[in-house]
Amino acid sequence: MKRKVPADVVTASRDIHRLTTSELAKLVCDVFYEMHGDRRYGDDGAIIGGVGMINGKSVTIVGTEKGHTVQENIQRNFGSPHAEGYRKAIRLFQQAEKFRRPVITIVNTSGAFCDVEAEDRGIGQAIAESMQTMAGLTVPTITILMGEGGSGGALALAVANKVWMLENAMYSVLSPEGFATILWKDPSRVPEAAEYMKFTAPDLLDFKVIDQIIPENYGNRALSHDELAIMIKDMLLTEIEVQEAMSADTLLAAKEARFQQF
């Protein structure tokens, strides 16, 4: 796959027209029932979660949600979850483990929300518990990096046996704007920062941070949401079958080995 200019990837990953978690869930599932709330504080619109059926196979889907319009962005907190969003994810992960449902997570976030209120509600602990819970799952786990993948807010939903990444997505410890500001005190050097950070799909495949790149184009033509969903659906069914053939101990060992290499 041809490597793209990292600055262009940043722009593409933030495109408001990118496929969202709720849209993908409805396209790949025969039915999808969204669930709400963390049973402790409230519901968080920045994380969508629920149970679906893909060709008769029950799955749990959890992912960040940005929306397309300004109104939707505000409703979804621009895809930056609070602690209750991650606690909702934890609840759904535990439910999936109990009922032996494969877990599919979808990531498109610049990072978890960071203000005093988020800290008061325990955002750091919630992220850590989400990572710990996902790491301990003995059911098939697959993560799809759909757009932005920023810092611990993304990693909280990405401790999976397989991590896939869309061609125009990014996955990094912080934004290129943050990198340029911290390192050079100059936010105008974002394109240069993007080159340094190596957060594009080909880079991360080379580093073995991800396992597969999902193409977004066929030749010079961009795939429609429907076409992309059909491809992802086929990939999911194949990978779930592979992982379901593995024992719980083997799945855990494979996941542990995957992350220990870093």
Side-chain angles (χ1 to χ4, degrees):
M1 182 174 293
K2 183 180 179 181
R3 293 179 183 268
K4 298 186 177 182
V5 176
D8 292 341
V9 173
V10 174
T11 301
S13 71
R14 295 171 176 172
D15 191 327
I16 61 170
H17 301 295
R18 292 187 78 77
L19 193 62
T20 67
T21 295
S22 58
E23 289 169 342
L24 182 62
K26 290 173 183 176
L27 287 171
V28 303
C29 293
D30 309 317
V31 290
F32 178 71
Y33 299 100
E34 185 181 349
M35 298 183 178
H36 298 273
D38 67 344
R39 302 299 186 263
R40 292 173 61 179
Y41 181 87
D43 192 35
D44 185 355
I47 287 188
I48 292 283
V51 178
M53 298 279 287
I54 305 179
N55 284 14
K57 168 71 66 177
S58 296
V59 298
T60 291
I61 298 177
V62 179
T64 49
E65 182 89 356
K66 287 185 178 181
H68 296 301
T69 66
V70 173
Q71 290 76 17
E72 289 174 346
N73 290 160
I74 294 170
Q75 179 188 357
R76 303 295 182 183
N77 202 34
F78 293 86
S80 294
H82 281 283
E84 56 268 26
Y86 292 111
R87 293 190 180 112
K88 174 167 63 175
I90 292 166
R91 181 171 73 85
L92 292 173
F93 293 156
Q94 292 171 337
Q95 184 189 84
E97 180 78 1
K98 178 179 179 179
F99 293 104
R100 308 305 301 165
R101 289 194 294 263
V103 170
I104 301 163
T105 59
I106 301 163
V107 176
N108 184 9
T109 179
S110 60
F113 199 61
C114 53
D115 67 352
V116 173
E117 189 177 357
E119 295 296 336
D120 286 344
R121 301 213 293 259
I123 187 69
Q125 181 181 9
I127 288 172
E129 288 180 355
S130 182
M131 292 171 63
Q132 183 180 38
T133 302
M134 198 172 180
L137 294 177
T138 61
V139 295
T141 52
I142 303 165
T143 293
I144 302 172
L145 294 161
M146 188 72 70
E148 284 188 279
S151 193
L155 189 58
L157 300 182
V159 188
N161 283 87
K162 292 294 181 181
V163 179
W164 301 338
M165 189 170 178
L166 266 65
E167 177 182 349
N168 293 318
M170 58 182 283
Y171 192 27
S172 64
V173 68
L174 79 169
S175 69
E177 292 86 355
F179 183 99
T181 300
I182 292 169
L183 190 64
W184 299 310
K185 313 299 183 188
D186 184 358
S188 69
R189 296 175 68 177
V190 167
E192 187 179 352
E195 291 285 349
Y196 271 101
M197 293 176 73
K198 305 296 182 186
F199 51 55
T200 66
D203 289 326
L204 297 178
L205 186 64
D206 289 344
F207 297 146
K208 299 183 180 179
V209 172
I210 64 169
D211 302 289
Q212 190 167 348
I213 300 173
I214 301 174
E216 297 185 55
N217 295 278
Y218 182 77
N220 294 322
R221 181 178 66 84
L223 296 176
S224 68
H225 286 183
D226 287 343
E227 291 171 323
L228 193 57
I230 290 171
M231 178 170 56
I232 291 173
K233 179 179 179 178
D234 290 341
M235 292 173 63
L236 288 171
L237 288 170
T238 300
E239 181 58 33
I240 288 171
E241 185 177 356
V242 170
Q243 292 192 36
E244 284 187 330
M246 302 164 67
S247 68
D249 288 343
T250 302
L251 275 174
L252 277 177
K255 193 186 302 181
E256 183 177 354
R258 186 187 190 286
F259 287 92
Q260 277 188 339
Q261 68 180 321
F262 306 115

